[in-house]
């Protein structure tokens, strides 16, 4: 081989070496690009998912809080309405209590009522000997109708005339004076008891009002809410 | 062949090998740099995403609080209206109810 041929061979080899290196570098670069994309995508997606989950959690928290707040408000509103309903009904009872004071104005009407109450109490108690209590102001009216009442009872119950003593020591409290007075008061009527005081029949107008009110409450409520359009 | 020319040939080859090595090393270095870039760019994208989500979240919170405020107000109005109607109704039936109760109290059927 001459020098020129050797020289050419060396050049070829040099070119070959460099070509191989370029190809290898190229492979590395392409692989790098692929890995870059994969790595970046994975990182981004995984973090994004975490962030999304976090915000979903936060949103749910806020949502729950709002719901609780609203529910609390709703309950408070409902209680307000219920309270108002109760107030209205109690108001009516109080108004009725005040109206009771009128019921005893007319002496004849009141005497008739007293008689009926005494007979009713006697029928309830069925005792041979009783004590009667009334308001001091009503004493004369009671005395006026007592005998008639006793006779009516005796006839109805087919028994002998009972012994009824009007308590002269303890009277029922008088009519209520001031509007908001909480002192004990009585609007009228009588209280009868067996002589030993063990069985009592409270036939005062106040007690009767309480009982009537309680009995009529469903009806009152129906009237109250029937026209309520909601 | 001439000894010096043989030497020069070998040197050329060695130089080529060195250069080849440098080319490959450079590619490898560039690859590492590129991967590091992946992390940085990923972080930037994530930060941007977080900002977006936060902004959206805040918007939703503001919107819902506006809604709930309106709801509470509506509730208050409805309640007041119900109570008003109740009171009116009570006033209208009150005399009748009182009459009925009084009658009941003062009527004695024996």
């Amino acid at each position: 081989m001459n020098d020129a041929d050797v020289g050419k061979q060396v050049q070829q080899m040099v070119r070959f070496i460099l070509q191989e290196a370029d190809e290898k570098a190229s492979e590395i670069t392409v692989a790098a690009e692929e890995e870059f994309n994969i790595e970046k995508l994975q990182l981004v997606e995984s973090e994004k998912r975490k962030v999304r989950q976090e915000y979903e959690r936060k949103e749910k928290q806020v949502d729950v809080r709002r719901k609780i707040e609203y529910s609390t408000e709703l309950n408070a509103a409902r209680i307000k309405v219920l309270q108002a309903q109760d107030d209205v009904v109690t108001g009516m009872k109080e108004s009725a209590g005040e109206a009771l004071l009128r019921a005893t104005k007319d002496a004849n009407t009141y005497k008739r009522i007293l008689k009926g109450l005494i007979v009713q109490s006697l029928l309830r108690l069925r005792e041979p000997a009783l004590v009667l209590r009334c308001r001091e102001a009503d004493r004369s009216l009671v005395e006026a109708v007592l005998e008639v009442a006793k006779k009516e009872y005796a006839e109805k119950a087919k028994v002998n005339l009972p012994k009824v003593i009007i308590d002269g020591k303890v009277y029922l409290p008088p009519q209520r004076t001031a509007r908001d007075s909480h002192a004990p008061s009585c609007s009228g009527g009588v209280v009868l008891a067996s002589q030993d005081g063990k069985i009592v029949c409270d036939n005062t107008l106040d007690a009767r009002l309480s009982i009537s009110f309680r009995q009529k409450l469903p009806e009152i409520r129906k009237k109250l809410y029937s026209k309520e359009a909601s | 062949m001439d000894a010096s020319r043989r030497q020069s040939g070998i040197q050329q080859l060695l130089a080529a090998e060195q250069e080849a090595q440098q080319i490959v090393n450079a590619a490898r270095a560039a690859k590492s740099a590129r991967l590091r870039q992946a992390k940085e760019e990923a972080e930037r994208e994530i930060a941007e995403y977080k900002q977006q989500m936060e902004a959206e979240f805040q918007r939703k919170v503001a919107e819902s609080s506006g809604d709930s405020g309106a709801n509470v107000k509506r509730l208050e109005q409805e309640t007041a209206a119900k109570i008003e109607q109740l009171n009116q109704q009570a006033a209208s039936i009150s005399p009748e109810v009182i009459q009925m109760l009084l009658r009941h109290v003062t009527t004695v059927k024996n």
Side-chain angles (χ1 to χ4, degrees):
Chain A
M1 235 183 353
N2 60 14
D3 288 343
D5 290 332
V6 169
K8 266 201 204 133
Q9 243 188 357
V10 166
Q11 287 301 87
Q12 256 186 320
M13 286 170 79
V14 163
R15 264 201 304 275
F16 180 70
I17 290 171
L18 292 178
Q19 212 177 324
E20 279 222 325
D22 281 336
E23 278 173 19
K24 182 109 198 247
S26 214
E27 275 175 28
I28 293 174
T29 306
V30 164
E33 214 42 37
E34 265 183 42
E35 276 183 42
F36 167 83
N37 285 328
I38 293 173
E39 174 82 356
K40 182 169 151 191
L41 196 72
Q42 276 182 343
L43 283 174
V44 165
E45 283 310 302
S46 129
E47 275 311 302
K48 269 190 180 179
R49 203 176 347 122
K50 282 196 202 152
V51 167
R52 264 197 301 268
Q53 279 175 348
E54 179 62 20
Y55 276 97
E56 265 175 32
R57 188 185 64 86
K58 273 189 177 179
E59 264 177 47
K60 209 176 263 187
Q61 264 186 341
V62 167
D63 197 38
V64 164
R65 206 177 348 126
R66 294 266 180 255
K67 286 206 173 109
I68 291 176
E69 280 171 7
Y70 183 69
S71 174
T72 310
E73 289 293 333
L74 195 63
N75 274 343
R78 285 198 183 129
I79 287 176
K80 243 189 174 182
V81 170
L82 286 177
Q83 183 65 54
Q85 286 175 354
D86 195 56
D87 290 344
V88 145
V89 157
T90 309
M92 271 195 235
K93 183 177 177 195
E94 280 176 8
S95 299
E98 278 165 34
L100 261 190
L101 304 176
R102 279 186 265 125
T104 56
K105 283 244 163 78
D106 179 58
N108 284 326
T109 322
Y110 189 33
K111 270 204 307 201
R112 201 167 5 102
I113 295 171
L114 281 173
K115 177 178 74 78
L117 294 181
I118 297 172
V119 174
Q120 190 180 57
S121 308
L122 290 172
L123 285 168
R124 289 263 165 81
L125 291 169
R126 301 258 170 177
E127 289 280 319
L130 311 105
V131 176
L132 183 153
R133 263 193 207 153
C134 61
R135 295 187 302 185
E136 195 164 6
D138 296 341
R139 182 164 182 139
S140 50
L141 292 175
V142 168
E143 280 168 346
V145 297
L146 188 53
E147 291 307 312
V148 180
K150 277 156 64 170
K151 283 200 191 109
E152 197 176 308
Y153 160 67
E155 257 176 55
K156 280 216 166 89
K158 312 235 192 306
V159 290
N160 293 329
L161 282 178
K163 259 206 296 232
V164 181
I165 304 172
I166 302 178
D167 193 336
K169 283 201 223 126
V170 183
Y171 288 106
L172 297 177
Q175 200 146 296
R176 189 155 46 126
T177 43
R179 194 152 183 233
D180 313 310
S181 164
H182 292 295
S185 68
C186 177
S187 311
V190 290
V191 176
L192 266 82
S194 60
Q195 204 161 48
D196 56 8
K198 290 212 173 120
I199 319 174
V200 180
C201 175
D202 184 343
N203 232 338
T204 54
L205 297 185
D206 313 83
R208 289 173 69 83
L209 178 60
S210 287
I211 294 172
S212 298
F213 183 75
R214 229 175 315 149
Q215 281 178 346
K216 295 285 179 176
L217 199 51
E219 195 181 313
I220 296 173
R221 285 216 174 102
K222 204 159 70 152
K223 283 204 173 92
L224 198 52
Y225 308 142
S226 65
K227 289 192 204 156
E228 206 178 274
S230 58
Chain B
M1 190 165 148
D2 203 18
S4 61
R5 267 198 279 269
R6 253 204 316 268
Q7 241 351 30
S8 139
I10 291 173
Q11 273 176 340
Q12 274 186 294
L13 289 175
L14 285 175
E17 283 283 346
Q18 252 192 327
E19 198 182 327
Q21 194 61 34
Q22 279 176 344
I23 291 172
V24 170
N25 286 345
R28 290 211 178 102
K31 177 175 174 181
S32 305
R34 194 74 177 123
L35 288 182
R36 250 176 288 129
Q37 240 190 333
K39 271 220 183 91
E40 286 166 9
E41 278 188 29
E43 268 167 33
R44 241 182 298 138
E45 261 183 53
I46 291 163
E48 199 181 292
Y49 189 66
K50 259 198 193 159
Q51 253 188 339
Q52 257 185 318
M53 292 295 266
E54 178 68 21
E56 179 69 13
F57 174 69
Q58 291 300 345
R59 185 190 66 82
K60 280 191 182 162
V61 166
E63 197 179 290
S64 83
S65 89
D67 278 346
S68 72
N71 272 346
V72 165
K73 213 185 178 123
R74 180 181 52 86
L75 204 58
E76 281 178 359
Q77 285 177 338
E78 279 180 9
T79 307
K82 274 194 189 148
I83 294 180
E84 176 60 32
Q85 192 175 28
L86 188 68
N87 287 334
Q88 281 180 353
Q89 183 69 351
S92 86
I93 68 166
S94 187
E96 172 192 340
V97 166
I98 293 175
Q99 275 297 90
M100 186 251 301
L101 285 173
L102 278 193
R103 231 190 356 252
H104 218 238
V105 167
T106 57
T107 311
V108 194
K109 288 192 213 131
N110 283 322

